Structure formats: structure tokens, C-alpha cells
Amino acid sequence: MTSRFHRLVAASAVAVISVIALTACTVTTENPRSESTSTTPTPGFDPTDTLWSIRSTHEELPLDDHDVQELQKAVALHSGVSDNRSPDSVRASVATEAESFAPLFRERLATEGYADAVVAMYVDNDLTIEQTGVAWTPSTVDEDRTHATVGFESIFRIVSASEGFLHELEAEAGVEVVQPRQYRLTKIDGEWLIDDIEKGPLRKAQDSR
């Protein structure tokens, strides 16, 4: 789990993660195969396409599938908490974030000091971020409907941070950035809970267009 912890925290320090205001989460849908000339970071949505499928058979799942909707909701709520943070809100948001985790994942992160590391990153670096969008990428549900892997990109703005932290990130305050992510989830007592998270490197939002 050490490598996972580095992806969640050490990679967070270089990639920035989480937030408390659920209402700040703007959920959108993107078809990565479509081309766009827009300079804005807001993803497009093709209602005739789906990025969801059954893992073993590759059968496509419609967007109104119950599990697809519940998985999107679980991921959007978690990213809304984890990508709207400030030094004042980070302690409460880390506690809220844990409610989205499967018990074993929550225990592993607690053992490795995840909460303290995230709090220190925001407080020590005077870091504030806010989410501006979520773009879905190809995702799968296992045939037994108890495990899923959800891909998406979180689009957020680094509102403010210390000069040293911004230099380390090679980022600028006020600039929107995109981070690809992959969540693995397990259905426990009918509820989809996160049991692993992988995060990719940050890039400027306009670089993805």
C-alpha cells in the first residue's frame, strides 16, 4: 500500500487532491474520441455514446443503467469533497472523504497517516483549490455487478498557494488544471464504496484541448 499512499498523498503533493463543498462539484460528461476547438475546460457530452461497459464481455452499458448512475454519483461526490479544499476546511473534508471509502481502504489510509499528510499539505502550503468540472473516461463494471473501475478527469483551479509550493508544482495560481484518475469501487450492502485510487500527473486545462 506504500505505493498507493504515494499516489494518493505524495503524488497529491505534486498533483493536489481533495475538497469540502459538495455543491461546488460540476459534473459533466466527455466523449474522448470527439474533437473540440473550444478553449474552455468544460467537457462536451454526446448522448448517443457511452463510455461504460461490462468488463468481461465488453457489452456497452447505457447512461441510465442503475449502477452507472450510482457509480457516477459516488465518484462525483467524493471528488467534490476532495477537490474543494482550503486550510480552513481540509480537516472536515478529510473526515467527510472517508465516508466514501470501503472499510479496508479506510483502515489502510489511516495506518499510513493519510489524513495528517493531507492536512499538513494544505495548511503548510496555504493551499486552496476548487473544482470546476468532471469529465468521464472509459469505465467498466464487473459482470457480477459488485466491482467497478471508473475513469474520469477532475478539472480544478489552484486558487492560492505559497510561492514555494507553486514553484514545486510548476503551476500558477488561478490556472485551471486537469488530473486523470481511476477509482476502483466495491458494492457493499448495496452501496458503491471506493477501495483504491490512482492519480495521473497534472496538466493545464487548455493543454487537453
Side-chain angles (χ1 to χ4, degrees):
M1 184 62 191
T2 300
S3 62
R4 290 192 181 115
F5 180 62
H6 285 313
R7 289 196 297 269
L8 279 172
V9 177
S12 315
V14 170
V16 191
I17 42 180
S18 316
V19 170
I20 189 162
L22 292 177
T23 56
C25 175
T26 302
V27 181
T28 55
T29 310
E30 179 180 50
N31 176 5
R33 296 187 294 275
S34 65
E35 296 181 359
S36 172
T37 58
S38 173
T39 58
T40 67
T42 304
F45 170 52
D46 181 354
T48 66
D49 199 7
T50 178
L51 299 173
W52 294 80
S53 64
I54 297 294
R55 183 192 304 275
S56 58
T57 65
H58 306 293
E59 174 191 353
E60 290 189 345
L61 293 173
L63 296 178
D64 60 359
D65 178 90
H66 177 73
D67 282 314
V68 168
Q69 292 186 339
E70 290 300 307
L71 285 161
Q72 287 183 325
K73 178 181 176 181
V75 170
L77 288 174
H78 173 264
S79 69
V81 171
S82 67
D83 292 332
N84 288 285
R85 280 183 172 152
S86 69
D88 292 335
S89 70
V90 63
R91 291 185 185 278
S93 72
V94 168
T96 301
E97 178 186 23
E99 297 174 6
S100 298
F101 296 154
L104 290 179
F105 187 51
R106 188 184 308 128
E107 291 173 13
R108 290 198 299 268
L109 293 179
T111 299
E112 295 177 356
Y114 170 75
D116 289 341
V118 173
V119 170
M121 182 175 70
Y122 280 83
V123 173
D124 294 350
N125 296 291
D126 197 23
L127 175 62
T128 298
I129 65 174
E130 62 180 12
Q131 189 179 67
T132 58
V134 172
W136 304 107
T137 57
S139 303
T140 59
V141 181
D142 284 5
E143 193 168 9
D144 63 5
R145 299 291 186 123
T146 60
H147 297 86
T149 300
V150 179
F152 73 105
E153 292 185 333
S154 181
I155 307 166
F156 58 92
R157 179 180 293 107
I158 302 173
V159 177
S160 61
S162 66
E163 288 299 323
F165 189 75
L166 289 172
H167 179 73
E168 180 183 356
L169 288 179
E170 299 182 350
E172 302 174 40
V175 174
E176 284 183 315
V177 294
V178 177
Q179 186 180 48
R181 301 178 184 172
Q182 187 177 81
Y183 286 16
R184 284 188 281 279
L185 299 95
T186 300
K187 187 185 290 186
I188 300 176
D189 295 330
E191 181 181 8
W192 285 104
L193 296 172
I194 299 164
D195 57 21
D196 196 17
I197 296 175
E198 294 184 6
K199 297 172 182 277
L202 289 179
R203 68 180 188 274
K204 288 185 178 180
Q206 57 266 34
D207 292 344
S208 65
R209 301 294 169 213

